[in-house]
Amino acid sequence: LKGIEWIQPSIEKVVYGEGITEIAPFSAQKINTHIVYNEPLQDITELVLPSTLTTIDDYAFAFYLNVKDVQIPYGVTTIGNNAFSDCYKIENVVLPGTVKKIGNYAFSVCDSLNSITIPASVTEIGKSLAHSYSGVSIFGYTGSTAESYAKENNYAFYSLSASVGDVNEDGVVNLMDAIALNKYLAGMISLTDSQLVAANCNIADGTSNINED
């Protein structure tokens, strides 16, 4: 029709449904097949990830240009190469205590990034984790892979002290710890020895973790 111009729809929030366990490579680009570079991603400001998620693949959320905060759910074990690269407005990242592997350039060119909190569960971190134009600090546990990586790659490192109630070992005690504990008690997930100790909030009873009578 003459005089009718196609208007590209604006997408501000992306919600991934419960039951999804893996976010595929270039997930963002598949939301919209518009050929203009990055156009489908410019308006997205919020990501909601499912509690069932375990794997964030390579480039899964690359070029989400305006997302400022990402809540990575407890249960995620792998973060792929360039998974969040070029997310210019992300400021702080807290990884749950289930993550074991972080790929190369996972948070590269996130120019607003201030800090990444890495739990003791992480045993492998790829190269150039958070290369950007701003100084990025790594928060983690003394003696952990995160500390070694920070020192070897000239990142500022700040040690987190183990805290009673910090079941997912992300450095804070909040609702996510209660969710992790409930999943453990329901037999849905397993906890490491250090997480079992953190889960023992009633230390006055003389036990060292929640599995002791």
Side-chain angles (χ1 to χ4, degrees), residues 1-212:
L1 296 176
K2 287 187 176 182
I4 301 297
E5 182 177 328
W6 170 252
I7 300 175
Q8 181 70 12
S10 174
I11 303 173
E12 296 183 357
K13 181 177 181 179
V14 177
V15 179
Y16 289 83
E18 289 296 319
I20 293 175
T21 59
E22 182 175 358
I23 304 295
F26 292 104
S27 171
Q29 285 79 349
K30 293 175 183 177
I31 292 173
N32 190 310
T33 57
H34 197 285
I35 61 173
V36 177
Y37 184 68
N38 283 344
E39 185 168 335
L41 315 180
Q42 289 179 352
D43 295 328
I44 297 172
T45 59
E46 184 177 0
L47 296 173
V48 180
L49 305 182
S51 64
T52 51
L53 189 64
T54 60
T55 302
I56 299 175
D57 272 325
D58 300 352
Y59 293 93
F61 297 114
F63 300 105
Y64 269 86
L65 304 181
N66 287 309
V67 170
K68 291 185 178 181
D69 179 59
V70 177
Q71 299 293 326
I72 299 175
Y74 192 86
V76 170
T77 60
T78 303
I79 296 176
N81 300 328
N82 296 86
F84 293 93
S85 63
D86 295 271
C87 292
Y88 300 144
K89 293 190 177 181
I90 288 180
E91 298 178 350
N92 299 288
V93 173
V94 177
L95 302 180
T98 50
V99 175
K100 298 179 181 179
K101 179 182 178 180
I102 307 171
N104 300 326
Y105 308 103
F107 298 94
S108 181
V109 200
C110 294
D111 291 340
S112 298
L113 189 62
N114 295 314
S115 69
I116 303 176
T117 299
I118 302 176
S121 59
V122 172
T123 58
E124 182 179 347
I125 304 175
K127 61 183 178 182
S128 297
L129 171 65
H131 173 70
S132 71
Y133 297 107
S134 61
V136 178
S137 300
I138 291 178
F139 288 78
Y141 291 90
T142 300
S144 67
T145 299
E147 181 181 27
S148 299
Y149 185 90
K151 291 181 177 179
E152 291 169 3
N153 294 275
N154 299 315
Y155 290 96
F157 178 79
Y158 297 91
S159 181
L160 300 169
S161 58
S163 175
V164 173
D166 185 14
V167 180
N168 64 3
E169 296 183 331
D170 64 358
V172 295
V173 178
N174 57 24
L175 179 60
M176 299 307 296
D177 297 295
I179 292 173
L181 179 56
N182 283 333
K183 284 186 175 181
Y184 170 76
L185 295 174
M188 299 170 61
I189 62 171
S190 59
L191 296 179
T192 65
D193 290 343
S194 62
Q195 288 173 319
L196 290 172
V197 171
N200 183 31
C201 297
N202 188 23
I203 57 176
D205 65 2
T207 59
S208 59
N209 70 55
I210 61 172
N211 284 336
E212 293 185 6

